[in-house]
Amino acid sequence: MGVDLMSLGAYEPRWPGVVELNLADQWRARWVDEQELPGNAPVFWAYGMVCMGDHGYATREKGAAKWGMIEGPIGEAKPEAFVKSAAMERTGATAGRVELIGFFECKATRHNTEFEQGTITVRPFYLAVARKVADLPETSNYERRRMRMAEYLVAMRARYPELEDYIGKCASRYAVLRAKGDV
């Protein structure tokens, strides 16, 4: 039994230790633990956890049942700019520091209705450290909730079970920044 040399070039190895995530059956993703996005990264969606002091700030659209983090399509904005503006719009937080924790390399599945199967996108995951937090205007489409950090992390892990490890990485980075006095 020999190796078919004609199909060898089409083989994509599955490296040991790589965890593949299933994001809403529409994306297969793997985590890239780097703090800089590649220059040509096709970013469509971004995540951001907003923290200040001993608290995290959850958000949701008015009337929604579950609290979440900042997330959504970035449009024409740069990912970091999206996180800053969404933090203000959805939580009233003025982000003083925004750090990339890592990113997901995503491949569209056959269940994806917005992208052709196999389309590659990148979803960065940010920590947004707020300098100040103001009240949301009455006309806002969002609600926010300030939670003690432990409660916030429990809520985020419950809302995003597939991202549990990366929520932990974000929380650890925030704890280190606070311990060093960098925020």
Side-chain angles (χ1 to χ4, degrees), residues 7 30 34 49 70 124 134 146 156 159 162 166 176:
S7 64
R30 74 175 187 93
E34 294 178 8
M49 288 178 51
I70 291 169
R146 184 178 85 154
M156 293 306 102
R159 171 67 177 84
E162 68 278 5
Y166 316 107
V176 168

Side-chain angles (χ1 to χ4, degrees), residues 61-99:
E61 288 188 16
K62 281 187 177 173
K66 293 185 178 182
W67 293 101
M69 66 179 81
I70 291 169
E71 67 169 308
I74 67 166
E76 297 298 317
K78 297 284 186 194
E80 190 173 311
F82 163 78
V83 170
K84 284 183 176 183
S85 67
M88 176 61 77
E89 176 190 14
R90 300 177 191 188
T91 68
T94 302
R97 182 176 190 145
V98 176
E99 281 202 20

Side-chain angles (χ1 to χ4, degrees), residues 12 14-15 18-23 26-34 36-38 40-45 47 102-109 118-125 163 166:
E12 185 177 319
R14 304 270 180 181
W15 303 111
V18 173
V19 175
E20 188 174 81
L21 301 171
N22 179 15
L23 303 178
Q26 296 191 21
W27 298 98
R28 297 289 180 265
R30 74 175 187 93
W31 177 255
V32 179
D33 196 6
E34 294 178 8
E36 190 171 319
L37 283 173
N40 58 351
V43 178
F44 166 71
W45 192 276
Y47 300 97
F103 57 91
F104 299 99
E105 286 182 339
C106 302
K107 185 184 281 190
T109 69
T119 300
I120 303 291
T121 64
V122 171
R123 289 184 175 202
F125 193 106
L163 305 182
Y166 316 107

Side-chain angles (χ1 to χ4, degrees), residues 158-175:
R159 171 67 177 84
Y160 307 97
E162 68 278 5
L163 305 182
E164 182 175 356
D165 291 345
Y166 316 107
I167 290 168
K169 286 179 184 290
C170 191
S172 294
R173 179 65 183 142
Y174 182 60

Side-chain angles (χ1 to χ4, degrees), residues 77-148:
K78 297 284 186 194
E80 190 173 311
F82 163 78
V83 170
K84 284 183 176 183
S85 67
M88 176 61 77
E89 176 190 14
R90 300 177 191 188
T91 68
T94 302
R97 182 176 190 145
V98 176
E99 281 202 20
L100 180 64
I101 302 303
F103 57 91
F104 299 99
E105 286 182 339
C106 302
K107 185 184 281 190
T109 69
R110 65 186 171 91
H111 301 290
N112 195 311
T113 58
E114 294 181 65
F115 292 89
E116 185 178 321
Q117 183 177 352
T119 300
I120 303 291
T121 64
V122 171
R123 289 184 175 202
F125 193 106
Y126 288 94
L127 166 64
V129 181
R131 282 188 320 227
K132 66 179 182 175
V133 179
D135 289 335
L136 290 174
E138 294 282 329
T139 58
S140 176
N141 292 328
Y142 295 93
E143 300 172 314
R144 74 132 194 271
R145 182 169 173 212
R146 184 178 85 154
M147 301 177 185
R148 299 288 290 170

